[in-house]
């Protein structure tokens, strides 16, 4: 009996130590269906995402009188943009504002200037957009040049 209790507390401790506790909001088990990158580009233009975004190496039709807060998507980054980060950036833009911009340039009182599309963007459009955007991120690990010791 004492052994069993000991074993159970050990297992419980192991879960806590390894962070395996599943909370109700845990993303564990989350998986969206695969998307179609070619259609993602079509959606990007149709929804006029290029009103505010540029993508390195891409040319989009011009939008007359656009005065956007241009935020570059893709390009060289030091850390991979994960699927989860891209999905969150699209469906919950204020959750984490894009790095490298002054807050007042891209947000008002902590709320992203990006529109929320959730009431009319389909899940298919979302998954297509994400697989279209993700390969545009080119991960380059920063090279640190340490001065030699003398
Ligand atoms: C009216 C301007 C505007 C439009 C239109 C717009 N966005 Fe944005 N978007 C922003 C701004 C400003 C940011 C930076 C603040 C933030 O992270 O929410 C941003 C951030 C993002 C990011 C995160 C970038 C990063 O480096 O973290 C993604 C991805 C993105 N937008 C995708 C889209 C897609 C896809 C569409 C079209 C469905 C779209 N945006 C339409 C303004 C816009």
């Amino acid at each position: 009996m004492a052994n069993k209790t000991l074993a159970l507390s050990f297992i419980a401790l192991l879960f806590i130590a390894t962070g395996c506790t599943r909370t109700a909001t845990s993303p564990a088990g989350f998986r969206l269906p695969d998307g179609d990158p070619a259609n993602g580009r079509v959606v990007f233009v149709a929804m006029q995402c290029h009103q505010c975004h540029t993508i390195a190496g891409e040319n989009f039709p011009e939008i007359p009188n656009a005065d956007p807060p241009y935020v570059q998507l893709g390009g060289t980054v030091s850390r991979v943009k994960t699927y989860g980060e891209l999905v969150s950036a699209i469906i919950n833009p204020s959750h984490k504002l894009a790095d490298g911009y002054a807050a007042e340039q891209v947000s008002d009182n902590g709320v992203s200037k990006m529109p929320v599309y959730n009431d009319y963007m389909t899940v298919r459009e979302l998954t297509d957009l994400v697989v279209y955007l993700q390969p545009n991120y080119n991960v380059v690990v920063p090279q640190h040049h340490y001065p030699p010791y003398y």
Side-chain angles (χ1 to χ4, degrees):
M1 181 66 193
N3 262 355
K4 208 170 171 191
T5 319
L6 203 71
L8 280 179
S9 9
F10 181 73
I11 291 169
L13 261 179
L14 202 72
F15 266 89
I16 294 164
T18 52
C20 286
T21 42
R22 282 185 180 229
T23 62
T25 52
S26 162
F30 174 81
R31 177 74 167 89
L32 286 170
D34 293 338
D36 169 4
N39 193 52
R41 191 184 191 282
V42 173
V43 173
F44 194 87
V45 174
M47 291 205 158
Q48 305 216 321
C49 308
H50 60 305
Q51 193 186 321
C52 303
H53 292 294
T54 54
I55 298 185
E58 281 276 30
N59 281 315
F60 298 114
E62 238 175 79
I63 300 178
N65 307 320
D67 181 22
Y70 276 120
V71 171
Q72 191 192 308
L73 302 182
T76 303
V77 288
S78 56
R79 199 173 60 83
V80 78
K81 271 263 182 235
T82 67
Y83 193 86
E85 285 171 331
L86 284 174
V87 169
S88 304
I90 297 172
I91 65 177
N92 190 5
S94 303
H95 171 64
K96 183 187 171 300
L97 298 175
D99 292 330
Y101 299 88
E104 60 275 17
Q105 196 186 342
V106 294
S107 61
D108 292 313
N109 297 320
V111 177
S112 173
K113 287 186 179 172
M114 176 160 155
V116 174
Y117 296 87
N118 298 357
D119 286 339
Y120 48 93
M121 181 185 283
T122 65
V123 174
R124 182 179 301 274
E125 285 166 338
L126 172 69
T127 53
D128 290 354
L129 276 169
V130 172
V131 290
Y132 161 60
L133 290 175
Q134 202 168 25
N136 283 293
Y137 287 90
N138 176 25
V139 182
V140 174
V141 178
Q143 300 292 314
H144 297 290
H145 297 287
Y146 296 106
Y149 285 108
Y150 291 109

